[in-house]
Amino acid sequence: MLITLARWEAGLLLAPGNPRKIRGAADLGRRGLRLVARETGSGSRRLLERELVRAGLSAALAGAAPVRASGHLEVAQAIASGAGEVGVATRDAAIAFGLEFVPLAEERYDLAIPRALLADPRLERFLDAMTSAAFRRELSSLGYDVRGCGDRVAELDAA
């Protein structure tokens, strides 16, 4: 059983007013642009690399970024302070620092639970907690969209 946990929107964070007029990943190949990149293997880094390739640019641009950040808020802080001009992070990070946001992707996080465990009282309590207002507030405070939290979205047979 697949049960939705939460979603979030990731995109390009830019200085207020978007002074470099960046509209998407295709603009990231501009000379002299100070890109803030996440660590190799992070979801934001993979998204950046995928969007660069989709735009006809080399994914290696992400590795050559002059500024590195270890989290969404760190990306936003680097751009807000002027250390970088563009980076990939979540919409809530952009809002927290008063930055512009160009959406690239929405990611949904689901829990995969074996059917045999659905009747387990511990799991039933967990699923009940997922739909509670307190749990949703906590996830929301981390920047997640919790509108679908607890929704059963698919039933799949194991391979």
Side-chain angles (χ1 to χ4, degrees):
M1 177 74 64
L2 287 181
I3 299 174
T4 296
L5 177 62
R7 303 173 189 264
W8 70 12
E9 194 173 18
L12 300 175
L13 275 60
L14 308 152
N18 191 3
R20 296 292 299 258
K21 306 297 181 222
I22 294 170
R23 296 179 314 273
D27 296 324
L28 300 183
R30 292 182 189 164
R31 198 175 214 51
L33 186 65
R34 287 175 292 131
L35 177 64
V36 179
R38 291 284 307 278
E39 66 278 4
T40 302
S42 70
S44 293
R45 174 71 171 262
R46 288 192 312 271
L47 174 59
L48 173 60
E49 290 170 348
R50 184 178 71 228
E51 291 299 314
L52 287 168
V53 169
R54 188 176 290 161
L57 299 169
S58 171
L61 280 174
V67 182
R68 301 295 169 120
S70 61
H72 296 284
L73 294 176
E74 198 173 308
V75 170
Q77 184 175 30
I79 294 165
S81 71
E85 295 173 293
V86 60
V88 173
T90 56
R91 181 182 291 276
D92 69 294
I95 292 168
F97 282 83
L99 302 173
E100 301 292 325
F101 182 81
V102 175
L104 294 175
E106 182 178 275
E107 297 175 335
R108 188 177 84 201
Y109 297 91
D110 294 323
L111 301 173
I113 301 171
R115 271 192 215 111
L117 293 180
L118 289 174
D120 185 311
R122 294 169 297 180
L123 186 60
E124 287 177 0
R125 285 193 304 276
F126 174 71
L127 295 175
D128 285 343
M130 279 179 60
T131 59
S132 73
F135 185 85
R136 289 174 181 239
R137 270 193 310 275
E138 285 295 318
L139 273 181
S140 290
S141 74
L142 296 172
Y144 291 95
D145 176 349
V146 296
R147 284 177 285 180
C149 188
D151 290 351
R152 294 177 183 211
V153 294
E155 239 182 278
L156 306 169
D157 292 322

